[in-house]
Amino acid sequence: MTERVPLVVIGAGPAGLSAAAEATAAGVETLLLDEQAVPGGQIYRAVGRANPDRRTILGADYADGAGLLPVLKSSQLDYRPGASVWQVTPEREVFYTVAGKATAVRAARMVLATGAMERPMPFPGWTLPGVMSAGAAQILLKSSGLVPDGEVVLAGSGPLLFLIANQILNAGGRIAGLVETTPRGNLARALPYLPGLLRLPAYLGKGLALLARLRRAKVPYFRGARDLTAHGGTQVEALRFTAGGRTHELPCQILLLHQGVAPNVQITRALGLTHDWDAVPRCWRPRLDAWGGTELEGIAVAGDGGGILGAAASAHQGRLAGLQAACRLGKLNEAERDARTGAHRRALSAQRAARPFLDRLYRPAGAFLDPPGETIVCRCEEVTAAQIRGFVGLGCLGPNQAKAFGRAGMGPCQGRLCGLTVSEIMARTRGVGVQDVGAYRVRPPIKPVTLAELAAMDEDDG
Amino acid sequence: MPNDSRFRRLPDPGRRAVAIVFDGRAVQAREGDSVAAAILAAGIAVTRRTPVSGAPRGPYCMMGVCFDCLVEIDGMPNCQACMVEVREGMRVRLMAGARGPGADLQGSKADD
Amino acid sequence: MGETEFAVIGGGLVGMAVAFGLQREGRRVTVFDEGDVAYRASRGNFGLVWVQGKGVGMPDYARWSRLSAALWPELAAELQEDTGLDLELRQPGGFDICLTEEGLAAAAARLDTLHTQLDGDYPFEVLGHNRLREMLPAIGPQVAGAIYGPEDGHTNPLVLLRALTTAFTRRGGAIENGAPVRDIEPQSSGFRIGSDPGWRAEKVVLCAGLGNAQLAPMVGMHAPVKPNRGQVLICERVKPFLPYPTAQIRQVGEGAVQIGDSKEDVGFDDGTTPQVMAAIAKRAVRIFPLLENLRVVRAWGALRVMSPDGHPIYDQSRRHPGAYLVTCHSGVTLAASHALRLAPWIAGGAPPVPYLETFGAERFAVSPPA
């Protein structure tokens, strides 16, 4: 028999933990499924076991994440780490595997808090070992205390790039170069939206402090970099690029890439929900109501999976989704629910006001959305940008036709990492908007699952 | 620790050492490391050769998205090294291209 | 207003095979196709070039399928020469694996019927468990046996579609895509395709799969086709382990293991369901137990285009000469017949086989309306 639970929350980052906190506090029995072994999501990864030194290196914003963890002691909470969710149906059945054992549950309500993933930053050579996302280096630091050593180069754009550079310096690492690819015109386009950013006064100060720290450490800093290529044999050995009218070559053993984050929409896509293209931050997001509710009754989204607003906003969204779930499950009446939402809505509004500035300032350069022909776009099936353009020439209008023609998106990552790039390339090649090109149709299983695990879900034992 | 690692470990007095084996070589990991973190800390950059072209790949995203850190763990092929925590005695191998149709979950303990 | 000699409605495997065949005959062809998201049987099919078991009750369908299987090497070679693409065609014979003795007996009885209907010209073998294990050592203890059909094989259906499209456009064919064709209007000479302002075509070939049901009456024909869903599981790439295609499981050229496929009457829902996926997985593990730790990376639901008797419909309009209907649920197996035999007939040649009329939609007129 399929287990039944009042509320399933997927994801134990700031949104998921906050949703679970509100729901359990209101007396809702909650099942919290998380793919990672420890709670906190990527942003607060392993915060529960970080020692004071680690918290100092990673900064106060990280250490604050520990404040989300007390919910894990709630008697109303069933927290299952290491749970790989591979199918969610519109009927709110959730199929997941823990340590090779598959389980199905049916929820009265669900909160999807699957967060964000780093936007891919494709250019020739980005598949070499030693080239990693900047977020990956941060995860290694948070969960294992590993600091990149030797010649470390960071390339790309976005606030996280500067934060990670600072954290590496804090941990005693050295940085051989910070190669910023943010187009020079971005600042001018962002400036009219500066008043919105000033609703979060601390943000600007933190950003300037990060930059000052890099200057003090005399980190070689290149701005407006273009034409990036990574070189090496079996591992990365150098990054080549042009900046300031000159070609540079920085030897490196570790090359960390970042150009912002995008919502992880794998589950909302697999549910067949409507997604809108957000043209400024260049990502898809599911269509949501003021509570994070989706088009499907009983299924809500909280946090960056519904649009990038950051960790603080995600926690507020999680609170709202948790309160709404408790209300709909009869544990709070609407007046009780609404009495608790004001502060969250005000905080969210300030966080939202900052986005137009940030999204314009850190809008990725076109060359990393629509990369040179020889660039491998689909890392799993090794499909290049030129091949994708060729499929447009054969009449493919969107990524699903291109997938059928060239296998892009058919590998084990199931299109997670190439999806945005393939849609962008096809849109630019066709001369239309990304919304007219569309996205991969995501089909279950959304994570690979063994035949034995799948077969165990067959209720007919005949 | 071999000195060719591109990562350095910060002191972590509370965390126990865990011994695993990668392609027959002893690797000292720490409790709470993912397999991918342990491998990188040991100076191993390449975790798989792709089944398409044989190109070398290593961990890229460390959060379960990219599937470039696939390794064989205790006989089970194509495991995401970034999503599995180390256990004492774990046997890890490079994925060299496509896997076999089956998995030898028992036999792997006995060899190398 | 655009103009073309032949308008082929539908850019799936059926439409592209016919369009390629027409272009190959030197005709001017425009294919009209939908956008990125559509019901696309051609992207969800299993990839078998399959003969065994087809045509019970209609031996001409068995003949037609065997003809296509025999023509397939020619089609694959020609497409490879035109495009450089390897269609991964292998025709080593194939197995229909049965998990129960009753299932095996029923399958054998069907093939006996075909054997009789075709006057003894129908090769197949019934293999018990031990004989089968000699040929497929990986089978599990629960397998009762299999039917071996020496003419069966498989190909890469996605490469087939890409190769047909590439060869067609290289030979000068045109593709108009982005929106379904909703209107076809017969005119004093030729047809108007679509509206605002639409296209003018001398002849029109309906290859729109399930869309033919709506389009056929516009040109005086009848296409009583309905959807039948099949779900397919696709697993990781694996080193070669299965040298033959089977009706249930096959290993594709690049190594992935493909497991199919359900037969469900669910209307226009091309989704996947956990229950059916679980049942497919369970059957796969019973057939080849060593696959139990193989991971499924994708599942597909696609809609077969089924006529009431399951056999193809080939027709030309008596009321509006120049309009043709081509529909079937075996776009892969029949691709060679469609491109190399049916298209020349549509181009104005003689019927390729004496029994072509057997496939007319008139055969459904006698049955009471559904």
Side-chain angles (χ1 to χ4, degrees):
Chain A
M1 252 334 263
T2 303
E3 186 188 353
R4 286 172 185 273
V5 291
L7 177 64
V8 171
V9 177
I10 301 177
L17 289 169
S18 302
E22 288 294 343
T24 53
V28 177
E29 272 180 68
T30 301
L31 171 64
L32 175 60
L33 300 175
D34 189 45
E35 195 177 17
Q36 301 297 334
V38 290
Q42 302 308 335
I43 189 84
Y44 301 129
R45 187 146 162 160
V47 69
R49 64 185 186 204
N51 60 34
D53 271 0
R54 198 67 39 82
R55 292 184 185 197
T56 306
I57 286 168
L58 291 162
D61 283 346
Y62 172 74
D64 285 350
L68 293 166
L69 301 180
V71 61
L72 298 172
K73 298 199 170 70
S74 165
S75 61
Q76 297 289 316
L77 188 75
D78 180 358
Y79 164 56
R80 298 189 197 170
S84 170
V85 172
W86 44 267
Q87 183 158 11
V88 177
T89 70
E91 295 76 31
R92 298 182 300 280
E93 299 160 284
V94 182
F95 297 80
Y96 65 96
T97 296
V98 179
K101 188 177 178 309
T103 309
V105 298
R106 187 186 284 268
R109 300 196 72 86
M110 291 182 56
V111 177
L112 308 176
T114 53
M117 48 170 272
E118 280 181 277
R119 175 191 301 286
M121 190 173 163
F123 60 81
W126 77 305
T127 52
L128 280 168
V131 182
M132 304 176 81
S133 77
Q138 200 184 33
I139 287 167
L140 286 166
L141 183 54
K142 287 171 180 171
S143 49
S144 288
L146 290 176
V147 188
D149 204 12
E151 286 160 315
V152 180
V153 172
L154 288 89
S157 68
L160 190 63
L161 195 67
F162 298 99
L163 175 64
I164 292 167
N166 269 258
Q167 291 169 333
I168 291 172
L169 294 175
N170 293 345
R174 286 172 299 116
I175 294 172
L178 197 152
V179 179
E180 199 185 349
T181 57
T182 309
R184 288 194 178 274
N186 280 14
L187 182 60
R189 275 189 284 275
L191 273 178
Y193 300 89
L194 187 62
L197 181 73
L198 297 178
R199 287 185 61 188
L200 295 178
Y203 197 99
L204 194 56
K206 282 180 197 168
L208 294 172
L210 293 178
L211 284 171
R213 171 91 165 85
L214 294 177
R215 260 199 309 275
R216 279 201 307 282
K218 298 198 165 48
V219 170
Y221 182 25
F222 304 85
R223 300 176 72 176
R226 304 168 49 184
D227 309 324
L228 271 61
T229 52
H231 300 268
T234 55
Q235 299 187 47
V236 65
E237 288 158 21
L239 175 70
R240 245 176 250 156
F241 59 95
T242 57
R246 285 180 47 214
T247 300
H248 302 263
E249 178 165 326
L250 295 181
C252 56
Q253 279 106 45
I254 295 282
L255 173 58
L256 302 176
L257 307 180
H258 180 77
Q259 57 171 351
V261 296
N264 175 359
V265 293
Q266 214 71 2
I267 292 180
T268 50
R269 280 278 180 199
L271 283 168
L273 295 166
T274 305
H275 288 66
D276 296 309
W277 176 250
D278 214 341
V280 178
R282 306 207 74 74
C283 55
W284 298 100
R285 58 175 181 193
R287 201 169 283 179
L288 304 175
D289 67 21
W291 296 98
T294 68
E295 294 158 324
L296 287 167
E297 176 57 30
I299 301 183
V301 172
D304 279 355
I308 302 301
L309 287 174
S314 295
H316 294 297
Q317 289 175 323
R319 299 264 166 200
L320 293 176
L323 289 167
Q324 172 72 343
C327 178
R328 287 296 165 85
L329 290 165
K331 298 290 187 182
L332 294 175
N333 63 40
E334 291 188 2
E336 289 167 326
R337 175 196 69 184
D338 294 343
R340 300 179 199 190
T341 59
H344 300 305
R345 293 212 186 277
R346 279 191 299 280
L348 264 176
S349 151
Q351 296 283 345
R352 280 209 180 87
R355 293 315 303 184
F357 178 85
L358 295 172
D359 289 344
R360 282 170 180 78
L361 182 63
Y362 293 115
R363 185 181 157 129
F368 303 105
L369 302 174
D370 184 25
E374 69 270 33
T375 310
I376 289 175
V377 166
C378 166
R379 297 171 66 106
C380 297
E381 295 294 328
E382 301 183 43
V383 182
T384 65
Q387 286 175 291
I388 302 291
R389 291 185 191 112
F391 300 142
V392 174
L394 277 178
C396 293
L397 296 172
N400 295 294
Q401 288 173 313
K403 180 178 181 176
F405 271 27
R407 299 193 54 84
M410 283 195 182
C413 103
Q414 297 156 307
R416 281 171 171 79
L417 209 56
C418 65
L420 282 172
T421 312
V422 169
S423 292
E424 290 268 11
I425 291 173
M426 296 188 83
R428 281 160 194 253
T429 308
R430 287 183 53 204
V432 300
V434 177
Q435 67 279 5
D436 297 321
V437 160
Y440 287 138
R441 179 168 177 180
V442 177
R443 300 269 203 164
I446 51 175
K447 276 278 189 174
V449 56
T450 67
L451 284 170
E453 288 161 21
L454 200 48
M457 296 292 98
D458 186 20
E459 286 164 6
D460 172 18
D461 276 335
Chain B
M1 279 298 124
N3 53 14
D4 56 348
S5 174
R6 296 171 177 209
F7 290 88
R8 181 171 53 81
R9 272 197 193 272
L10 297 173
D12 236 335
R15 288 169 64 207
R16 208 164 45 83
V18 177
I20 67 168
V21 177
F22 181 86
D23 277 344
R25 165 184 160 191
V27 167
Q28 284 301 315
R30 297 256 182 86
E31 185 180 19
D33 276 353
S34 65
V35 172
I39 290 173
L40 288 170
I44 296 154
V46 179
T47 48
R48 71 171 182 131
R49 296 262 172 186
T50 66
V52 180
S53 71
R57 293 285 174 83
Y60 175 78
C61 79
M62 289 301 293
M63 58 179 278
V65 171
C66 76
F67 288 75
D68 255 336
C69 64
L70 297 178
V71 292
E72 182 186 300
I73 297 180
D74 289 338
M76 182 70 179
N78 283 347
C79 296
Q80 289 183 281
C82 71
M83 300 299 288
V84 180
E85 291 203 353
V86 292
R87 287 184 307 271
E88 186 70 32
M90 189 181 252
R91 286 173 188 271
V92 183
R93 293 171 190 243
L94 174 106
M95 282 304 307
R99 60 173 285 177
D104 186 7
L105 305 189
Q106 271 77 48
S108 69
K109 296 279 182 195
D111 61 16
D112 70 16
Chain C
M1 182 183 254
E3 282 198 28
T4 187
E5 184 185 0
F6 279 88
V8 174
I9 315 300
L13 286 173
V14 172
M16 289 316 303
V18 169
F20 166 72
L22 287 170
Q23 198 71 34
R24 199 170 160 272
E25 294 290 307
R27 317 317 289 257
R28 254 185 335 116
V29 185
T30 304
V31 171
F32 294 81
D33 196 23
E34 292 190 59
D36 191 49
V37 177
Y39 295 116
R40 291 198 181 269
S42 299
R43 281 193 224 148
N45 74 74
F46 201 59
L48 296 176
V49 177
W50 208 251
V51 170
Q52 65 163 291
K54 286 179 176 169
V56 176
M58 192 197 255
D60 287 336
Y61 179 39
R63 292 189 180 97
W64 183 241
S65 297
R66 290 179 72 191
L67 172 65
S68 196
L71 287 169
W72 244 100
E74 183 185 335
L75 175 71
E78 190 172 328
L79 287 173
Q80 176 150 17
E81 194 179 312
D82 272 15
T83 65
L85 293 166
D86 175 6
L87 272 66
E88 300 164 14
L89 175 68
R90 306 284 182 273
Q91 294 176 294
F95 297 89
D96 181 10
I97 297 176
C98 301
L99 280 165
T100 62
E101 295 296 343
E102 302 78 65
L104 184 61
R110 275 197 303 277
L111 292 186
D112 275 333
T113 305
L114 276 164
H115 191 260
T116 308
Q117 286 176 349
L118 291 161
D119 305 324
D121 177 20
Y122 197 81
F124 71 96
E125 273 182 77
V126 181
L127 307 177
H129 178 89
N130 292 338
R131 280 284 313 285
L132 179 60
R133 204 174 52 200
E134 287 167 19
M135 296 178 82
L136 297 178
I139 60 161
Q142 293 187 32
V143 172
I147 310 285
Y148 174 71
E151 297 171 333
D152 295 323
H154 59 156
T155 185
N156 184 325
L158 299 177
V159 177
L160 170 62
L161 181 61
R162 181 176 159 196
L164 286 168
T165 307
T166 307
F168 169 71
T169 49
R170 285 206 185 146
R171 286 170 183 254
I175 299 176
E176 279 292 311
N177 54 15
V181 170
R182 299 198 190 283
D183 303 292
I184 301 175
E185 195 184 301
Q187 302 192 311
S188 53
S189 116
F191 300 86
R192 195 181 76 182
I193 312 296
S195 48
D196 295 329
W199 279 63
R200 224 199 74 76
E202 289 171 35
K203 295 183 174 165
V204 60
V205 191
L206 304 184
C207 305
L210 295 165
N212 284 339
Q214 276 79 49
L215 295 174
M218 298 176 193
V219 286
M221 288 192 286
H222 182 45
V225 288
K226 288 195 171 149
N228 176 270
R229 183 168 70 184
Q231 297 187 38
V232 173
L233 307 180
I234 296 158
C235 303
E236 302 164 290
R237 287 174 191 256
V238 166
K239 291 187 168 67
F241 85 104
L242 186 56
Y244 297 90
T246 78
Q248 293 77 23
I249 299 173
R250 72 182 194 98
Q251 186 169 23
V252 306
E254 74 275 3
V257 176
Q258 192 168 320
I259 305 169
D261 53 347
S262 61
K263 294 182 173 60
E264 309 157 67
D265 186 7
V266 291
F268 285 84
D269 175 357
D270 65 350
T272 57
T273 60
Q275 291 73 24
V276 173
M277 287 164 59
I280 294 172
K282 191 175 206 169
R283 189 179 60 173
V285 172
R286 283 184 180 165
I287 294 174
F288 294 123
L290 87 166
L291 298 182
E292 65 174 346
N293 288 306
L294 194 63
R295 288 182 193 80
V296 178
V297 294
R298 266 177 301 136
W300 276 99
L303 302 178
R304 293 186 192 85
V305 182
M306 292 302 274
S307 66
D309 59 9
H311 303 142
I313 307 174
Y314 305 129
D315 228 337
Q316 64 173 312
S317 177
R318 278 155 198 70
R319 205 182 315 156
H320 302 290
Y324 296 81
L325 171 64
V326 181
T327 189
C328 71
H329 73 86
S330 298
V332 175
T333 300
L334 297 179
S337 284
H338 290 164
L340 306 181
R341 293 291 181 271
L342 196 67
W345 168 68
I346 293 171
V353 288
Y355 50 82
L356 189 68
E357 282 188 7
T358 318
F359 297 112
E362 273 176 8
R363 70 184 191 267
F364 305 116
V366 289
S367 54

